[in-house]
Amino acid sequence: MKKLLFLLTFLGTLQFTAAPKEGIKGQVFWLSDNQMPGPGKTNSPHLGVAREILIYKAVNETEATQIDHFYKDIKTELIAKARSKEDGSFKINLPPGEYSIFTQEPMGLFANLIDGKGCVSCVVVEPKKYAWVSITVDYEAAY
């Protein structure tokens, strides 16, 4: 009985904190070769791929240098780094806010989307939600 009382007292002093329930989750895909439609042509499926993912505070296109498809000299703060699994899936806990997502490639940081406000590969994380992101790494694809 004393052991049970001690155990209950000990457990009562522990503080339980909930795991973050917000951030970004999604999948990274690799796409290459000729993607142009044509008679009898079947495009290859998007393949999930492992990549290092870098999350910055939202980057306006004027806050980075872009050469070809790759970025460097990003002026906003690096918030997080993560690696997608072999199938490309990932989940990154982040506080609410606006972020830019890049993948690390041999030639530099890659992103292929710019919104109407000039934000590079932006995603908004809302409180208590995960934003779904599909990243297509396609700098070796022809359209």
Side-chain angles (χ1 to χ4, degrees), residues 98-125:
E98 191 171 358
Y99 301 97
S100 289
I101 303 173
F102 298 87
T103 60
Q104 181 66 61
E105 302 299 321
M107 300 290 290
L109 299 178
F110 177 78
N112 59 358
L113 299 173
I114 298 177
D115 71 11
K117 297 180 275 181
C119 190
V120 179
S121 192
C122 279
V123 62
V124 176
V125 175

Side-chain angles (χ1 to χ4, degrees), residues 89-101:
S89 63
F90 65 91
K91 183 176 181 180
I92 304 167
N93 295 327
L94 294 167
E98 191 171 358
Y99 301 97
S100 289
I101 303 173

Side-chain angles (χ1 to χ4, degrees), residues 52-66:
E52 183 174 30
I53 301 168
L54 293 91
I55 310 294
Y56 284 84
K57 280 195 171 186
V59 177
N60 186 281
E61 60 188 332
T62 62
E63 298 174 307
T65 303
Q66 183 182 17

Side-chain angles (χ1 to χ4, degrees), residues 1-17:
M1 183 68 175
K2 286 184 180 182
K3 288 181 183 180
L4 179 60
L5 184 57
F6 174 77
L7 180 62
L8 291 174
T9 303
F10 175 74
L11 290 176
T13 62
L14 291 177
Q15 296 216 358
F16 294 97
T17 57

